[in-house]
Amino acid sequence: MSAAHLHLAVALDGAGWHPAAWRDPAAAPKDLFTAAYWAALVAEAEHGLLDFVTIEDSLGPQTTHLDGPDGRTDQVRGRFDAVLVASRVAPLTRRIGLVPTAVVTHTEPFHLASAVSTLDYVSAGRAGWRVQVSGRRTEAAHFGRRDIPELRPEHIGAAEPPPVFRELFDEAADAVEVVRRLWDSWEDDAEIRDVATGRFIDRDRLHYIDFEGAHFSVRGPSIVPRPPQGQPLVTALAHSRLPYEFAARSADVVYVTPHDAEQARAVVAEVRGLGAETLKIFADLVVFVGEDARNRRARLDELDGAAYTSDASIFTGTPGELADLLLDWRRAGLDGFRLRPAVLPTDLSAITRGLVPELQRRDAFRRAYRASTLRGHLGLLRPASRYVGSRR
Amino acid sequence: MKQVILAAHFPGVNNQTVWSDPASGSQIDFASFTHLARTAERGRFDFFFLADGQRLREQRGRIHDLDVVGRPDSLTVLSGLAAVTTHLGLAATVNATFNEPYDLARRIATLDHLSGGRAGWNVVTSSDAFTGENFRRGGYLDHSQRYERAEEFVRTTRELWDSWAAEDLVADPVTGTFATREAGAFAHRGTHFDIGGRFTVPRSPQRHPLTIQAGDSDGGREFAAATADAIFSRHGRPAEGQAFYRDIAARVAAHGRAPGSLKILPGATFALGDTDAEAQEHADHIRRQQVSPQTAILLLEQLWNRDLSAYDPEGPLPEIDPDVSEDRSIIKGRAGMYRDRLKTAAEWRALAEQKRLGIRDLIIEVTGRQSFIGSPARVAEEINESVQSDAADGFILVPHLTPTGLDEFVDKVVPLLQERGVFRTEYGTTTLRGHLGLENNG
Ligand SMILES: Cc1cc2nc3c(=O)[nH]c(=O)nc-3n(C[C@H](O)[C@H](O)[C@H](O)COP(=O)(O)O)c2cc1C
């Protein structure tokens, strides 16, 4: 792959990122809760040779409020477990990376490690994970095991967020550390099938991880042998210092949300300044792509009763204009982009059939998959287990 | 005539799997799961079944290394299998001790959607503090509390599954209503769970995915009789099976449930041959591979609860008695199998004496479970006879080879069951509940 090539991912969520997307004539709102819907989207993304898709998730329904249901009936509410969606589409695709979201706050790192490892087996080395922290009091109430204070607008982007949020990110970092240790807890060649001694495994190549943290301790080893990629891709979305620190410490890819090339430069500098030399930095953009993009956006805004806003910058324009923007922003030091199609499947196929050929013409995107694993697409090597050579 | 229910167990972590056989393939690659699932579907099986364990077993303080070790996350691998099968039920064993209802109900309901109504859940209570060392809450639940929690867990997941009515998902672009205001609202206040809010998964095809139960104590049986759709039982032999069947039927009635609403499915192995004699030879060969000399000592230790590594596997049983101290177990990560160690040891001694068996041969004899051995005709007849005589409603078959262990059964035994009119030739329904003749709650 040429060094000049961009990395491109798409973020799949419901009927698309615009809240009224499901009412667009191209949408298929009745199909959102079928396997065929997700399979078709991921197949389209693979057709466009994209590095990976992410699949959104949360431990509570979508809402326009920071915390808690908003009572709206005119937007998509409800979603599947994203890891299972990724696994369901894995056998139907061959190359594209599959990066489901999974929340670490109320779940067990031991289970997450197993689930993502298993996705890596089902997809033969194409699994990733978007680590998500749940700071919502209402989601905590779905579990009833801990209290989280209400998230308020003034907490967002605050220089010093409430201590509980630092705690949640520290806990998330612990969870990722546990998951990564569990992935390494079997050395690659632990299964020996030695008929002479009757041993299926060499237990000296299995390792207790003995993690002790503030929120949990985990003994290990994993119940799943080391996954095909060794370490599936860990990714995180970040908007401010605290999550940047988390991503720098824990992730392989961070999605950031600059609103112009200048901001992109500043964010890249800030993240790199945290000592994250090998971390891949992707910018998130919501995209309406095509000749009629502006009209579509206006129509949907009208249906929703409000002008659409997002944490990420919103692009509206032609594939050529989007290519210009991506190549311009990339000079800020970004490794790639995660595009959030505003309407599915319309903006996804505009990416795969409009943007991708445009980037290929400019020699800025691959013309064929060169690797078969997700780490391979990103030029990341398969790491050795950290435990090789250590006893148990 | 009763129809036979058949499920295929992916041979997993125990000494059933003859991994040393040259025909034995990967225990973890997705291709192995695909092969076995597709074979089961080709044979029109009711469902595919995965067992579970959340900590690698240890004996004498060391990880087991003689049997297959390592398995995937059940629901995740089943979701992949939903893509390569069309009718086969997909059942995962998931414990109710180290999970939370909201998360697990979401995962199971998601699988039910993604498979078009084929999801099943074997609710186990899992073992102990040893397994708990891998989880946030540790392992503080004692045996009776585990069932209390499991019962409330199942009740809670059903409340979550019911939290979306069929009409709550509107998705009408013209009126602009996607979901009703009440969609997913739930509140559960109980001893183990005090939770409320909104559930994210709309009503799934089966509404209540199939629940299976696998514990055998009084508490376990009561739990099954009160809540489950099927039991994975240990009692497959005819007389024992009939006694178990009657016991469960009485409990089901006492809970006010309809007869036949709880299906009893013992685990069973099988060995086939062109003649009965050839099959028996094959079965003996399999058993000797499953119980190597080293494995024989390990299995003996599990009853004796002592280090017996110095004993000769071909020699006599130990003179000393089992260690019956409650608080010390030589094996970790496996549900207790022996309630009265001294009594069982006395029985084993008597049997060894009577049949002049050394340790290994005795272990082969006493650890075997229900196994159908013979020509395809004999095996088909025995399975059918067990079902017609109410020793079972069907069987969860455990092949000894991964992933090809079911091929011969599907090619040779299934057609004979079909000829007798006791097993489907085509799927009549698309849901797991439908296959089992249980009401679709959808
Ligand atoms: C046939 C059978 C299969 C079982 N399979 C599993 C399993 O796969 N995973 C697990 O954690 N427990 C399994 N169990 C254990 C039970 O869930 C339960 O914890 C154990 O049997 C103790 O409960 P009891 O005293 O009621 O039998 C199984 C039990 C039986 C009888």
Side-chain angles (χ1 to χ4, degrees):
Chain A
M1 192 197 299
S2 145
H5 283 180
L6 279 178
H7 294 290
L8 270 190
V10 285
L12 302 179
D13 188 19
W17 288 72
H18 192 289
W22 70 276
R23 300 175 69 180
D24 187 273
K30 293 244 191 264
D31 296 347
L32 257 53
F33 297 98
T34 65
Y37 175 78
W38 295 94
L41 294 177
V42 179
E44 182 60 34
E46 184 168 71
H47 175 84
L49 308 175
L50 303 187
D51 292 78
F52 59 91
V53 296
T54 61
I55 302 167
E56 297 301 303
D57 201 0
S58 59
L59 293 173
Q62 303 87 330
T63 174
T64 50
H65 291 175
L66 269 181
D67 195 350
D70 56 8
R72 288 186 75 152
T73 60
D74 64 334
Q75 298 183 352
V76 171
R77 294 292 178 262
R79 52 176 29 137
F80 285 160
D81 178 278
V83 174
L84 297 187
V85 173
S87 192
R88 177 65 175 75
V89 301
L92 307 175
T93 52
R94 293 179 47 108
R95 293 298 185 97
I96 193 158
L98 301 166
V99 182
T101 295
V103 173
V104 289
T105 308
H106 306 291
T107 48
E108 296 284 354
F110 194 84
H111 288 151
L112 292 172
S114 299
V116 179
S117 280
T118 301
L119 178 62
D120 211 35
Y121 276 103
V122 175
S123 65
R126 297 183 283 130
W129 169 29
R130 175 159 94 82
V131 183
Q132 183 162 293
V133 167
S134 165
R136 289 190 168 137
R137 192 188 45 163
T138 46
E139 290 178 9
H142 294 158
F143 293 82
R145 312 215 73 88
R146 68 205 286 178
D147 291 321
I148 288 177
E150 186 181 356
L151 191 57
R152 308 180 65 82
E154 60 268 28
H155 298 148
I156 302 303
E160 197 37 60
V164 62
F165 294 107
R166 181 163 294 279
E167 215 176 282
L168 287 171
F169 276 99
D170 283 344
E171 178 186 2
D174 281 359
V176 175
E177 172 67 14
V178 164
V179 168
R180 287 188 181 278
R181 286 193 202 178
L182 287 168
W183 287 339
D184 280 346
S185 67
W186 289 56
E187 295 181 31
D188 289 319
D189 50 3
E191 183 183 314
I192 51 170
R193 297 195 184 220
D194 186 39
V195 177
T197 58
R199 292 176 307 148
F200 181 77
I201 51 151
D202 176 355
R203 58 185 159 206
D204 289 334
R205 290 180 234 178
L206 261 51
H207 304 272
Y208 295 103
I209 68 162
D210 285 328
F211 178 88
E212 298 282 344
H215 295 272
F216 46 80
S217 57
V218 175
R219 178 96 166 107
S222 175
I223 57 162
V224 192
R226 194 155 190 264
Q229 292 182 102
Q231 293 273 321
L233 195 74
V234 178
T235 74
L237 173 65
H239 305 98
S240 59
R241 184 68 175 210
L242 186 56
Y244 291 159
E245 287 171 6
F246 165 70
R249 193 169 144 198
S250 301
D252 302 305
V253 173
V254 63
Y255 316 112
V256 295
T257 53
H259 283 250
D260 56 40
E262 211 37 57
Q263 267 185 23
R265 200 160 282 118
V267 170
V268 169
E270 186 175 355
V271 172
R272 292 272 176 248
L274 295 168
E277 292 85 16
T278 59
L279 182 69
K280 305 272 181 203
I281 307 178
F282 281 41
D284 265 20
L285 283 171
V286 179
V287 296
F288 293 84
V289 193
E291 296 301 334
D292 66 335
R294 216 162 295 277
N295 287 338
R296 282 196 292 124
R297 181 176 176 179
R299 215 166 46 232
L300 293 177
D301 280 358
E302 195 180 312
L303 280 172
D304 198 47
Y308 177 49
T309 59
S310 169
D311 55 332
S313 179
I314 304 171
F315 168 86
T316 311
T318 64
E321 288 165 347
L322 182 53
D324 290 344
L325 181 145
L326 301 186
L327 295 176
D328 177 33
W329 284 30
R330 186 186 41 170
R331 284 196 289 272
L334 295 167
D335 298 287
F337 295 87
R338 184 177 74 144
L339 303 179
R340 306 180 186 173
V343 178
L344 291 169
T346 311
D347 291 304
L348 172 60
S349 30
I351 291 166
T352 53
R353 291 161 199 260
L355 173 69
V356 164
E358 184 66 39
L359 289 171
Q360 286 168 335
R361 267 194 292 281
R362 303 183 194 190
D363 196 26
F365 194 66
R366 66 170 71 85
R367 289 172 182 277
Y369 284 113
R370 298 283 160 73
S372 58
T373 67
L374 176 51
R375 293 185 75 88
H377 297 333
L378 294 179
L380 296 170
L381 297 176
R382 185 180 188 281
S385 160
R386 74 193 65 191
Y387 298 109
V388 169
S390 70
R391 295 284 293 177
R392 297 257 264 169
Chain B
M1 278 206 290
K2 277 170 79 180
Q3 290 290 302
V4 172
I5 295 168
L6 289 177
H9 193 306
F10 185 88
V13 177
N14 51 41
N15 66 321
Q16 299 288 347
T17 309
V18 179
W19 56 258
S20 57
D21 191 299
S24 164
S26 171
Q27 289 285 140
I28 188 71
D29 288 346
F30 187 63
S32 288
F33 289 86
T34 301
H35 182 97
L36 194 82
R38 283 190 167 151
T39 307
E41 186 161 86
R42 182 161 63 81
R44 307 293 182 255
F45 273 45
D46 291 82
F47 64 97
F48 182 87
F49 182 87
L50 291 170
D52 187 52
Q54 294 292 320
R55 175 130 185 221
L56 303 184
R57 289 173 185 167
E58 289 180 3
Q59 191 155 328
R60 277 188 245 131
R62 306 199 65 189
I63 291 169
H64 256 270
D65 61 357
L66 302 179
D67 305 339
V68 168
V69 178
R71 58 169 111 222
D73 176 69
S74 297
L75 290 167
T76 308
V77 82
L78 292 182
S79 195
L81 289 176
V84 298
T85 54
T86 55
H87 287 74
L88 186 68
L90 302 165
T93 299
V94 188
N95 75 70
T97 304
F98 302 111
N99 285 281
E100 297 299 327
Y102 191 91
D103 180 41
L104 187 56
R106 277 185 95 232
R107 284 164 55 80
I108 295 171
T110 297
L111 179 63
D112 205 40
H113 278 284
L114 292 176
S115 63
R118 298 188 276 140
W121 171 28
N122 178 31
V123 188
V124 292
T125 51
S126 204
S127 44
D128 43 28
F130 174 75
T131 304
E133 284 177 7
N134 283 335
F135 296 99
R136 289 178 191 255
R137 295 188 306 109
Y140 63 83
L141 288 177
D142 68 36
H143 187 270
S144 67
Q145 267 202 323
R146 291 209 305 269
Y147 277 115
E148 252 178 54
R149 180 177 159 104
E151 192 275 326
E152 192 179 332
F153 198 120
V154 171
R155 202 151 28 90
T156 309
T157 50
R158 288 183 182 158
E159 287 164 19
L160 292 167
W161 290 333
D162 288 343
S163 70
W164 284 71
E167 318 77 70
D168 282 338
L169 183 62
V170 183
D172 182 347
V174 179
T175 61
T177 303
F178 187 83
T180 64
R181 207 175 298 274
E182 302 73 39
F186 70 95
H188 174 99
R189 192 172 281 271
T191 319
H192 291 272
F193 310 107
D194 183 359
I195 61 177
R198 301 272 162 164
F199 189 56
T200 67
V201 186
R203 173 165 299 198
S204 72
Q206 294 183 106
R207 178 169 156 197
H208 293 170
L210 193 85
T211 52
I212 306 167
Q213 189 277 346
D216 200 30
S217 61
D218 191 61
R221 292 180 185 201
E222 274 302 297
F223 170 52
T227 65
D229 301 303
I231 295 185
F232 179 19
S233 113
R234 282 193 185 130
H235 312 286
R237 295 196 172 87
E240 219 193 313
Q242 284 169 339
F244 182 74
Y245 202 99
R246 280 193 300 273
D247 176 63
I248 295 299
R251 292 174 194 259
V252 165
H255 283 276
R257 296 177 59 190
S261 60
L262 175 56
K263 305 295 181 189
I264 297 176
L265 308 173
T269 59
F270 57 89
L272 301 171
D274 288 339
T275 62
D276 291 345
E278 202 184 294
Q280 188 59 55
E281 205 173 298
H282 186 204
D284 293 343
H285 180 65
I286 294 169
R287 290 295 288 147
R288 292 193 75 75
Q289 286 176 291
Q290 288 169 330
V291 185
S292 66
Q294 300 94 323
T295 298
I297 295 295
L298 246 67
L299 292 176
L300 190 70
E301 286 180 345
Q302 292 178 7
L303 173 62
W304 248 259
N305 204 25
R306 294 180 187 280
D307 182 347
L308 305 176
S309 50
Y311 282 77
D312 172 7
E314 308 300 340
L317 291 177
E319 302 273 325
I320 49 164
D321 280 332
D323 176 351
V324 294
S325 49
E326 283 294 321
D327 51 344
R328 204 183 65 85
S329 174
I330 196 161
I331 179 167
K332 296 205 157 125
R334 181 159 205 175
M337 290 177 299
Y338 304 111
R339 289 187 212 286
D340 187 340
R341 291 174 186 276
L342 293 175
K343 182 161 158 260
T344 308
E347 286 163 11
W348 286 14
R349 282 202 180 102
L351 188 67
E353 176 88 5
Q354 181 206 336
K355 294 198 173 177
R356 305 181 161 277
L357 302 175
I359 288 174
R360 185 176 177 202
D361 287 325
L362 176 85
I363 290 291
I364 286 174
E365 179 117 356
V366 296
T367 60
R369 56 166 138 181
Q370 169 60 358
S371 193
F372 295 106
I373 300 166
S375 64
R378 171 185 286 272
V379 168
E381 190 45 48
E382 283 185 7
I383 288 176
N384 186 36
E385 177 57 28
S386 291
V387 170
Q388 303 311 333
S389 67
D390 283 350
D393 293 309
F395 291 91
I396 295 182
L397 296 179
V398 193
H400 72 276
L401 268 187
T402 307
T404 53
L406 205 60
D407 297 7
E408 203 186 355
F409 187 94
V410 163
D411 292 334
K412 296 181 176 162
V413 182
V414 166
L416 298 176
L417 289 169
Q418 290 168 332
E419 267 172 35
R420 284 170 168 76
V422 295
F423 195 66
R424 68 175 68 79
T425 52
E426 286 304 331
Y427 287 104
T429 69
T430 57
T431 68
L432 175 50
R433 282 184 170 280
H435 300 338
L436 264 51
L438 295 170
E439 196 178 326
N440 238 1
N441 291 328

